[in-house]
Amino acid sequence: MLRVLVVGVALVALVVFSAVLARLTLTPSPVSAEIAGANLRPGRSLRQYLEDYTFLAACKQIGGNLLLGAPFGLLLPVLVPRRMRVVRVVLLTAVVMVLVELAQGAMVEGRAFDVDDVILNTGGALIAYLLVGRRIGRRFRALEPVSGPSVKPRKLSRRPVKPAKGKSTG
């Protein structure tokens, strides 16, 4: 029962997070319409943040993108199978973020696809997973009932052991 509740809470949190993600990333930005351009070269936007922005603005851009991916690292450990969980969390986050960036570039005024955003969002999910999400996943899995093939203990033979020929027993 607790397990079902936890999964339900994680799903609701993921839906709420998806709504926030959509609001933050798919809202038009007419102010940026003239300067927004697609970035397909990893590191290009990061260099621009560090060279052209103030320190605080660069921290907001980089930190904001890291934070935007963090909920995936916290919620997905409850929803994905245990086997290769970190790989699944990273891949699912990257796929979702690529789709968000593609939608931004194709449909939203003043927004464009940026591979650095995908990298930072995915990095945020990985960091959150390593710091907290892994423990969340372990605790959640501890709620699972122990299942598997039942193994019956082997019966030990009760036959008397015969002494070897020619040797005395006492």
Side-chain angles (χ1 to χ4, degrees):
M1 180 66 176
L2 182 59
R3 182 169 161 64
V4 172
L5 180 65
V6 172
V7 170
V9 169
L11 284 172
V12 168
L14 198 57
V15 169
V16 169
F17 168 67
S18 297
V20 171
L21 178 66
R23 174 79 170 97
L24 291 172
T25 60
L26 300 178
T27 303
S29 177
V31 176
S32 303
E34 292 182 22
I35 59 171
N39 172 32
L40 301 176
R41 289 185 19 217
R44 184 170 151 207
S45 292
L46 294 174
R47 272 190 300 285
Q48 183 182 3
Y49 297 154
L50 297 173
E51 292 171 0
D52 298 340
Y53 287 48
T54 65
F55 177 75
L56 185 58
C59 287
K60 278 182 166 177
Q61 283 287 34
I62 293 169
N65 277 309
L66 288 170
L67 283 175
L68 204 55
F72 286 105
L74 302 175
L75 298 171
L76 289 178
V78 173
L79 301 173
V80 298
R82 182 181 211 154
R83 195 166 148 229
M84 293 180 21
R85 187 179 297 142
V86 69
V87 173
R88 291 173 192 233
V89 166
V90 168
L91 289 177
L92 283 169
T93 303
V95 166
V96 169
M97 292 308 179
V98 164
L99 292 174
V100 166
E101 289 292 322
L102 287 172
Q104 276 184 335
M107 303 184 302
V108 183
E109 178 189 9
R111 306 266 187 183
F113 181 91
D114 190 342
V115 70
D116 288 333
D117 287 352
V118 173
I119 293 167
L120 287 169
N121 297 148
T122 305
L126 179 61
I127 291 167
Y129 174 80
L130 293 174
L131 293 177
V132 181
R134 185 173 39 193
R135 279 183 256 159
I136 290 171
R138 285 183 186 151
R139 293 233 171 118
F140 175 70
R141 296 298 170 214
L143 298 175
E144 290 180 347
V146 178
S147 62
S150 60
V151 178
K152 293 181 183 178
R154 285 181 29 188
K155 290 184 180 179
L156 297 175
S157 174
R158 296 276 182 195
R159 289 185 283 163
V161 178
K162 294 182 187 178
K165 290 184 183 180
K167 297 197 176 184
S168 69
T169 58

